[in-house]
Amino acid sequence: MEKAKVYFTEEITPEALQKIYHALGVTLRGKVAVKISTGEPGGHNFLQPALIAPLVQELNGTIVECNTAYEGRRNTSAAHWQTMKDHGFTAIAPCDLMDEEGEIALPITGGKRLKENFVGKNLQNYDSMLMLSHFKGHPMAGLGGALKNMSIGVASAHGKQWIHTSGSGETSFEALMKADHVGFLESMADADQSVMAYMGAKNIVYINVANRLSVDCDCCEHPAEPEMMDIGIFASLDPVAVDQACVDAVYASKDPGKAALIERMESRQGVRTIEAAGELNLGTRAYEVIKI
């Protein structure tokens, strides 16, 4: 497989976000879903509406999300809609909780752990998707970028439990916390395969914003403050390459504050999801960076 192209800019502004999307040289067709994390209340590291609004509006995009599988203020549709409003997303674009009215099952071909994935029912209403991800650490997955956003993020609340427990069928939060860790990481890659097959790989583009680089995810109510400086924006047509480029940029940073994020990624074996996605031929870990 030839090297993937990963576009990069150190500038993190609305204008830079639009510019890097244009650099990809593609046009998302039809009804466009923009998959973000709306962020757990109490946190403040999620991608801010002011940053993403111009690009979302240029695409006539709909911001899409699914409910969470843990207790908080996004685990019911009513609470999640209030959070989206409070965080400013409903003011910039139409929003859609894709699993508010149920889920659909997507088949997984040749997966490592799963044979099906459960996603928000309303995914079927979209023709293309911008996977707009905040790259950062994660308490369980080690890191979160395009691959996690496309797997856990697009999964229904039930689907999230399914991925976390490698399809065991157990639904308790205790089972989720005790599930096989590597199984969880590989199950995310399996889920990615199903979403890409359903949407069509050419109908999804990936942008990772590597700012506010906390060791914790936007799903955390009180995330740790970042210890390293912002890196920039990465974009690619390849989800494996864009996540790998972000990981490599953390390691290559001259900022000593990177140690905390590296420890979080390594202690949770975060790169395993990237490896597994590569093994499933969802993309390549070999890439070239094109600065814009």
Side-chain angles (χ1 to χ4, degrees):
M1 186 177 291
E2 64 182 41
K3 289 184 178 181
K5 292 180 172 63
V6 176
Y7 295 87
F8 172 70
T9 177
E10 293 180 352
E11 185 181 353
I12 304 177
T13 64
E15 296 77 17
L17 201 55
Q18 289 177 290
K19 185 177 180 180
I20 205 166
Y21 168 75
H22 295 151
L24 292 170
V26 298
T27 300
L28 291 174
R29 65 181 182 87
K31 189 172 182 181
V32 180
V34 180
K35 176 62 185 72
I36 65 166
S37 169
T38 49
E40 192 66 25
H44 49 271
N45 294 331
F46 56 85
L47 299 181
Q48 296 298 303
L51 174 66
I52 70 172
L55 178 55
V56 175
Q57 292 166 5
E58 176 187 336
L59 298 174
N60 292 317
T62 299
I63 292 172
V64 301
E65 257 279 42
C66 287
N67 289 323
T68 62
Y70 57 83
E71 290 187 7
R73 289 168 58 190
R74 295 188 300 150
N75 65 328
T76 67
S77 294
H80 203 157
W81 276 112
Q82 187 62 50
T83 294
M84 289 194 292
K85 180 180 179 181
D86 292 345
H87 286 179
F89 293 112
T90 59
I92 66 168
C95 296
D96 181 9
L97 283 179
M98 293 193 294
D99 65 335
E100 184 171 19
E101 297 181 358
E103 64 185 17
I104 56 174
L106 303 183
I108 294 171
T109 303
K112 293 180 175 296
R113 303 280 181 160
L114 303 178
K115 293 184 178 180
E116 59 185 344
N117 179 34
F118 299 95
V119 302
K121 178 182 178 182
N122 289 354
L123 182 66
Q124 62 194 339
N125 297 336
Y126 299 94
D127 303 298
S128 58
M129 179 173 285
L130 169 60
M131 201 63 56
L132 183 53
S133 310
H134 175 213
F135 183 84
K136 69 287 178 188
H138 191 278
M140 294 183 70
L143 61 92
L147 293 169
K148 183 173 184 298
N149 195 15
M150 184 162 52
S151 56
I152 291 292
V154 175
S156 64
H158 162 241
K160 289 175 172 61
Q161 295 170 324
W162 186 258
I163 294 168
H164 268 281
T165 59
S166 301
S168 73
E170 297 186 61
T171 59
S172 70
F173 187 72
E174 291 75 17
L176 184 152
M177 296 300 292
K178 294 178 181 178
D180 176 70
H181 184 66
V182 174
F184 159 53
L185 299 175
E186 294 181 346
S187 293
M188 284 197 286
D190 289 348
D192 288 325
Q193 189 262 8
S194 71
V195 174
M196 293 175 70
Y198 181 80
M199 294 296 297
K202 294 182 179 180
N203 295 321
I204 312 175
V205 301
Y206 307 90
I207 299 179
N208 284 0
V209 181
N211 72 336
R212 298 292 301 170
L213 289 157
S214 172
V215 299
D216 291 326
C217 181
D218 300 336
C219 60
C220 297
E221 186 177 8
H222 299 293
E225 280 297 300
E227 295 186 33
M228 71 176 294
M229 60 185 169
D230 296 348
I231 296 175
I233 305 176
F234 299 78
S236 183
L237 304 181
D238 185 319
V240 179
V242 76
D243 276 3
Q244 186 66 58
C246 289
V247 169
D248 291 343
V250 172
Y251 278 95
S253 172
K254 296 180 181 179
D255 184 349
K258 69 183 182 181
L261 183 52
I262 289 173
E263 189 281 333
R264 176 58 56 91
M265 293 191 298
E266 291 183 349
S267 64
R268 272 66 166 183
Q269 300 174 261
V271 75
R272 181 59 197 143
T273 301
I274 301 174
E275 293 172 343
E279 292 160 8
L280 293 173
N281 296 316
L282 304 185
T284 176
R285 298 175 71 192
Y287 62 89
E288 60 176 321
V289 172
I290 302 170
K291 293 185 178 182
I292 65 168

